[in-house]
Amino acid sequence: MKVSYEAIKEDGLLILKIQGDLIGDEIGPRLVEVVSDAVNEKIKRCVIDLKDVRYISSSGIGVLITMLTKMRNADGEVYLTSPSEHVKKLLIITKLNNIFNVFDSVEEAKEKISA
C-alpha cells in the first residue's frame, strides 16, 4: 500500500499523519525534510500519527529514528500516537518503545505535551 502523509502545524507543534506502509521508499526523505523544515521554523515538538500505518519496514524505522534525532538535536521531541497492534509489537521488539514517547491518540499526546 502506497504511503502518503499530511503535515499540520499548529501552536508550535508539527503533526504528521501517515497513511499506508512506511517502508522508507521515496516518501522517507520527504518526511525527514518536513521535520527539518519544522526545526528551521523553531518548531520543537512533532507528533507522528500512526493510526493508518499498517506496516513499518526496517527502512521505515530508520526514517522514524532520523526524525527523532533531528528533533532532539534541536532540543525537541517526537511523539508517536495510535500505533496498530502490529506496529506496537514492532516497537517493543526493537525496543523503540523505550526511546519514543508513545500515546494512544493525538489528543492524549497534545494534552501531555502542553501539561
Side-chain angles (χ1 to χ4, degrees):
M1 181 176 176
K2 191 110 171 101
V3 70
S4 62
Y5 71 93
E6 178 185 4
I8 304 161
K9 294 174 187 168
E10 61 179 47
D11 303 327
L13 180 67
L14 171 66
I15 300 172
L16 276 176
K17 295 183 176 198
I18 303 174
Q19 299 93 25
D21 297 339
L22 185 56
I23 55 174
D25 53 6
E26 74 280 350
I27 207 89
R30 273 193 262 153
L31 289 168
V32 171
E33 194 175 310
V34 169
V35 170
S36 293
D37 291 347
V39 166
N40 291 337
E41 294 170 27
K42 307 288 186 243
I43 293 174
K44 302 252 184 197
R45 297 171 322 224
C46 176
V47 174
I48 300 175
D49 185 357
L50 299 172
K51 179 179 66 185
D52 297 320
V53 173
R54 297 181 317 163
Y55 173 79
I56 300 179
S57 70
S58 57
S59 297
I61 288 172
V63 169
L64 292 176
I65 291 170
T66 301
M67 292 190 288
L68 177 68
T69 302
K70 284 196 174 293
M71 272 290 172
R72 286 193 176 165
N73 285 345
D75 294 322
E77 190 58 66
V78 172
Y79 306 90
L80 302 180
T81 66
S82 313
S84 67
E85 283 306 311
H86 172 77
V87 172
K88 269 185 199 168
K89 286 178 188 164
L90 182 69
L91 293 172
I92 291 167
I93 290 167
T94 57
K95 304 218 182 301
L96 289 175
N97 60 323
N98 297 326
I99 296 170
F100 284 97
N101 293 294
V102 183
F103 296 99
D104 290 332
S105 69
V106 171
E107 291 71 30
E108 181 188 355
K110 285 163 83 173
E111 281 175 29
K112 296 280 200 254
I113 293 167
S114 62

